[in-house]
Amino acid sequence: MPVAFIDSGIGGIPYVLTARDYLPHEQFVYVADTALFPYGDRTAESIVQSVISISSTLLDTFAPRVIVIACNTASVFALPVLRDRFDVPFVGTVPAVKPAAELSKSGNIAVLATSRTVGAAYLDQLVETYARECIIERIAGSELVSFVEQGGWRASVEEIRSAIMPTVEMLQTSRIDTLVLACTHFIFLKEQFESLLGPDVTVVDSRDGVARRIRTLVSDSEESAAGQTGARADMLLCTSPDTRYEALSKHFGFDYSGILENEVPS
Ligand code: DGL
């Protein structure tokens, strides 16, 4: 019984890589909902419908022990519905506002996310609950999502720097000391954000928190998984034909497993 991950594209892969470090004996199944990419441009209803449908197919096909919604946009809209609907535990990736508020000394924090996440009531609630005293700047970075998905995940340092420079310049004028990467695609840009923003800005993401939560949820069966010899290969599926994902699967150590049939919401 694997641990399953869902994102609109490549964004959840860094979360699997971290989870592998925490749980080296587990098998992971990754679904890129390429048919509906980018989630940031879709309605909340379409995203919720698609993630429900993928979860249902994953449960029927692979019986995962845990499903990770490795996407902030899908998490902020779909988590309550998914938890209501299915018995399997769901782990979400929600904007790391709480750790950012704990870390920030000045209280000036920026949240970089998709336009959907930036406008989500869920984010309002996180701010209200954990960062009431802080000044939170919300920045939509949809063009960075496309950049990463279209090849930015393996771009050179120079290419990444030039893609993120407009955002970096905007952040430099706002005197933040903490930046939350609240879209999983942006993990691929983290190193260059850190390098350009310098040591006075802490760049926060949720990979370790998510991996720890998965470990807690699977810990009951960890012993038996650890006892197995030759763990099965991790699998990657897309919801639409996409040849780029074959090369990408190999690069990140997945067996490319073709298409996961999913009705594309209108
Ligand atoms: N990776 C996703 C997130 O964390 C969404 C990117 C998109 O499809 O717009 O928000």
Side-chain angles (χ1 to χ4, degrees):
M1 285 162 78
V3 174
F5 285 70
I6 305 171
D7 179 44
S8 60
I10 189 180
I13 287 183
Y15 284 75
V16 178
L17 303 184
T18 304
R20 277 180 185 157
D21 289 342
Y22 280 75
L23 294 156
H25 302 288
E26 293 302 318
Q27 185 195 21
F28 300 101
V29 174
Y30 187 90
V31 178
D33 191 5
T34 44
L36 206 68
F37 177 87
Y39 279 176
D41 289 357
R42 308 294 177 187
T43 62
E45 293 70 29
S46 303
I47 298 166
V48 172
Q49 204 184 318
S50 195
V51 177
I52 287 176
S53 159
I54 293 170
S55 301
S56 169
T57 310
L58 277 172
L59 285 163
D60 290 347
T61 317
F62 300 104
R65 267 183 289 176
V66 175
I67 299 179
V68 182
I69 305 300
C71 170
N72 290 259
T73 314
S75 295
V76 299
F77 293 113
L79 272 180
V81 187
L82 291 166
R83 287 177 174 146
D84 243 31
R85 191 150 176 152
F86 300 104
D87 287 335
V88 68
F90 282 88
V91 177
T93 47
V94 298
V97 168
K98 185 179 180 213
E102 285 163 3
L103 270 168
S104 176
K105 292 197 173 66
S106 68
N108 290 329
I109 298 169
V111 175
L112 181 62
T114 64
S115 47
R116 281 270 166 255
T117 303
V118 158
Y122 198 106
L123 180 56
D124 296 337
Q125 272 166 28
L126 285 176
V127 171
E128 176 67 20
T129 313
Y130 300 112
R132 250 196 166 157
E133 312 296 316
C134 301
I135 297 168
I136 309 281
E137 190 175 347
R138 303 173 186 215
I139 302 169
S142 309
E143 67 298 335
L144 293 179
V145 176
S146 313
F147 169 75
V148 170
E149 187 73 18
Q150 304 312 327
W153 60 273
R154 58 169 169 196
S156 66
V157 168
E158 291 71 32
E159 287 168 327
I160 294 177
R161 286 183 171 212
S162 99
I164 67 174
M165 197 49 94
T167 312
V168 167
E169 281 168 357
M170 194 193 309
L171 292 168
Q172 279 164 339
T173 59
S174 57
R175 294 171 45 202
I176 55 151
D177 71 355
T178 311
L179 168 65
V180 180
L181 297 182
C183 167
T184 56
H185 278 71
F186 299 162
I187 306 294
F188 289 100
L189 312 173
K190 185 174 183 182
E191 234 176 272
Q192 294 314 314
F193 268 118
E194 284 175 333
S195 148
L196 290 175
L197 289 168
D200 295 340
V201 178
T202 308
V203 183
V204 179
D205 73 77
S206 57
R207 274 172 298 173
D208 283 307
V210 166
R212 276 197 295 269
R213 181 76 192 126
I214 301 169
R215 188 174 57 187
T216 304
L217 289 167
V218 301
S219 60
D220 286 351
S221 40
E222 202 169 11
E223 214 175 316
S224 56
Q228 284 171 13
T229 49
R232 281 177 298 157
D234 295 340
M235 298 165 69
L236 187 148
L237 301 103
C238 296
T239 55
S240 63
D242 195 327
T243 48
R244 291 170 315 143
Y245 272 83
E246 292 183 40
L248 190 152
S249 297
K250 206 181 231 174
H251 182 89
F252 291 109
F254 291 88
D255 277 355
Y256 181 68
S257 310
I259 305 297
L260 183 98
E261 294 301 336
N262 188 44
E263 207 171 303
V264 186
S266 49

